[in-house]
Amino acid sequence: MNQVAEPQESIPKSKLRRRYRRSKQVNKACDGIVARVLVVGQTPPPFVGQWVMIEKMLSGTYQHAALHHVRMNFSGSVNEIGQFQLTKIFHLTGVVARVIWGRIRHNTNVLYYPPAGPKKVPVLRDIALLLATRWMFKSVVLHFHAGGVSEIQQQLKWPVRTLFRLAYHRATVGIQLTEKNPDDCGLLDVRHRVTVPNGITDVAADFPRKQSDASWVPTILFVGMLCEPKGLFVLLAAASILRQRGVDFRLQIVGGFDNNDTKTRVHDSVAKSDLSDCVTFSGVLTGDDKWRAYAGADIFCFPTHYPSESFGLVVIEAMMFGLPVVATDWRGVSTIVDDQETGYVVPIRDDHRMADRLNELIDDPALAQRFGGAGRRKFIDCYTFETFCQNMENAFVLAVQDPKHR
């Protein structure tokens, strides 16, 4: 006797979509995905070290983590960073909405966020964004690219200080770039503290260093935001001292000015110090143009004392190209440069010491080459992109393995 097939129950499309999403999650778990991370952060432009590293992190390959991005775009140029603008409030609303949507769409279980440095306007933005979103995530990872946010806590009045604690404190994982940066992890009570130095893709082989000849004049290179806290005026003062000593050199300055007042002061300083014939302002360079600037240089100088400086990405870029580095004893920068091994570390705002160290490297090309070679080896050992991605993946996995990860 033939059996008659009973009609199948019609399944609503909404239920089918839910089943499909669940099956995708199962497949991801089977593929080894453990941490589904929503990365909330700005990427270039403008080209700032923190934003460059977020973009690089997003491009990495991970076995146990899947990264999804919500781009912040509060500052379209370097002179807008940390400044209040009414349009930023509207942008903040849009970012919060995209975070909520990203949480639902990708079923993310980790929120990744890079806190601001010790400036009130960006901190207030962070408070609003984190209070509106962090409660939705099982784990929160704070990556302290900019150091010192915890130092502003005591400057805030009582109601805002309470909101500050609710927004920043007790994150699952806090990532610091070096051990010598401000103790943001400790002061904000993160449950797990990890140290992850920045790392970049090695492109030096594609841009060979120039060969010296009889007409060789050493080139000192600076790359960074053109502002007083980055040590720009200290560098120009050191260059003036070298000129007075009769030292032959060129100084190439790469980056954008933070404002027009700084630009005017810098050009006035160059003119008054009679440096116009040996100082070149190249503006912001990216991609191959930036790498060619490193390849064409002989010494890298980074005299920073920037309040939120925590690492100095440009320093490892210089080391990648085998350049000796003269840098300041400022936070994480002095952990990258090994004094009298890969370059020199000098006190901040000390133009005479800076000039002395630059003078030594110009007078002794063999010493400069030895320091540069040691810096290149340290780059390979510590600061490659592959090492960075592995360390970041470990931090994300740690976040979901925390016992409080519900």
Side-chain angles (χ1 to χ4, degrees):
M1 179 175 175
N2 294 332
Q3 293 182 341
V4 178
E6 294 183 1
Q8 295 184 350
E9 181 183 356
S10 175
I11 301 176
K13 290 184 178 180
S14 60
K15 185 177 291 187
L16 287 172
R17 283 195 294 267
R18 286 196 296 272
R19 288 184 181 178
Y20 174 69
R21 284 197 294 268
R22 282 197 297 269
S23 68
K24 284 181 68 179
Q25 293 161 19
V26 170
N27 289 336
K28 281 187 175 182
C30 294
D31 290 339
I33 300 300
V34 174
R36 299 181 300 279
V37 186
L38 192 65
V39 175
V40 182
Q42 181 150 334
T43 53
F47 290 86
V48 177
Q50 170 182 323
W51 302 339
V52 169
M53 282 311 305
I54 291 175
E55 184 175 61
K56 288 181 178 296
M57 180 185 72
L58 290 165
S59 70
T61 301
Y62 308 94
Q63 183 178 359
H64 301 295
L67 275 55
H68 307 278
H69 184 213
V70 172
R71 184 174 189 257
M72 297 192 296
N73 187 26
F74 289 100
S75 301
S77 61
V78 292
N79 59 8
E80 294 178 6
I81 297 174
Q83 304 299 316
F84 173 78
Q85 293 177 326
L86 188 60
T87 55
K88 293 185 178 182
I89 296 178
F90 296 107
H91 181 65
L92 174 63
T93 304
V95 171
V96 170
R98 291 196 297 276
V99 170
I100 295 171
W101 174 238
R103 167 71 181 89
I104 297 170
R105 180 185 181 190
H106 303 293
N107 192 31
T108 47
N109 53 9
V110 177
L111 172 66
Y112 167 99
Y113 193 79
K119 292 185 178 181
K120 286 188 177 180
V121 170
V123 164
L124 292 175
R125 173 206 67 204
D126 282 2
I127 290 173
L129 198 154
L130 288 170
L131 288 179
T133 60
R134 72 171 282 180
W135 61 271
M136 295 185 294
F137 294 84
K138 295 179 179 181
S139 297
V140 175
V141 173
L142 297 182
H143 196 165
F144 297 100
H145 281 283
V149 66
S150 58
E151 299 171 350
I152 203 173
Q153 184 172 188
Q154 297 305 317
Q155 302 174 26
L156 303 173
K157 296 188 181 298
W158 171 76
V160 180
R161 192 184 308 167
T162 300
L163 296 175
F164 179 98
R165 291 184 60 85
L166 291 172
Y168 285 112
H169 279 247
R170 300 297 295 165
T172 315
V173 174
I175 302 175
Q176 57 190 22
L177 276 62
T178 77
E179 297 287 350
K180 203 172 178 181
N181 288 332
D183 188 21
D184 293 314
C185 289
L187 295 174
L188 297 180
D189 303 317
V190 302
R191 293 203 291 275
H192 303 280
R193 177 205 304 250
V194 297
T195 299
V196 180
N198 286 333
I200 55 176
T201 304
D202 187 0
V203 299
D206 298 329
F207 300 88
R209 296 279 304 279
K210 66 178 182 180
Q211 299 297 317
S212 303
D213 55 27
S215 62
W216 173 75
V217 176
T219 297
I220 302 168
L221 178 66
F222 170 91
V223 179
M225 185 190 302
L226 305 190
C227 61
E228 192 277 332
K230 287 285 188 177
L232 183 57
F233 291 98
V234 175
L235 176 57
L236 292 175
S240 178
I241 293 171
L242 293 176
R243 169 54 65 91
Q244 293 168 19
R245 294 175 181 175
V247 178
D248 197 10
F249 69 94
R250 295 190 181 95
L251 173 59
Q252 182 177 6
I253 297 176
V254 175
F257 287 96
D258 62 339
N259 56 56
N260 288 329
D261 178 62
T262 301
K263 183 176 182 179
T264 300
R265 290 170 55 209
V266 165
H267 285 289
D268 287 347
S269 177
V270 169
K272 290 178 181 177
S273 301
D274 194 27
L275 294 171
S276 300
D277 61 333
C278 64
V279 176
T280 301
F281 293 92
S282 302
V284 176
L285 298 181
T286 62
D288 291 356
D289 291 334
K290 182 177 70 170
W291 301 137
R292 278 190 282 268
Y294 282 110
D298 299 285
I299 302 167
F300 186 76
C301 190
F302 194 58
T304 184
H305 51 90
Y306 193 68
S308 59
E309 193 86 67
S310 59
F311 189 80
L313 183 64
V314 293
V315 176
I316 64 171
E317 291 178 344
M319 290 166 62
M320 175 176 67
F321 279 89
L323 296 179
V325 178
V326 180
T328 41
D329 188 5
W330 182 250
R331 296 184 174 171
V333 176
S334 59
T335 68
I336 305 172
V337 182
D338 297 327
D339 190 41
Q340 301 187 57
E341 293 184 20
T342 66
Y344 289 121
V345 178
V346 303
I348 62 172
R349 301 185 179 91
D350 192 336
D351 52 348
H352 283 85
R353 187 75 66 85
M354 183 74 66
D356 290 342
R357 293 310 197 186
L358 291 170
N359 206 154
E360 288 178 31
L361 293 173
I362 291 172
D363 286 347
D364 192 345
L367 176 67
Q369 186 174 16
R370 186 168 75 247
F371 283 176
R376 167 72 185 173
R377 290 190 293 274
K378 185 175 182 180
F379 166 79
I380 294 297
D381 290 341
C382 305
Y383 304 122
T384 63
F385 185 56
E386 293 76 15
T387 300
F388 169 77
C389 289
Q390 184 60 64
N391 290 335
M392 288 302 302
E393 182 174 52
N394 293 341
F396 293 140
V397 172
L398 176 62
V400 298
Q401 289 178 342
D402 180 79
K404 293 190 177 182
H405 181 87
R406 299 179 300 277

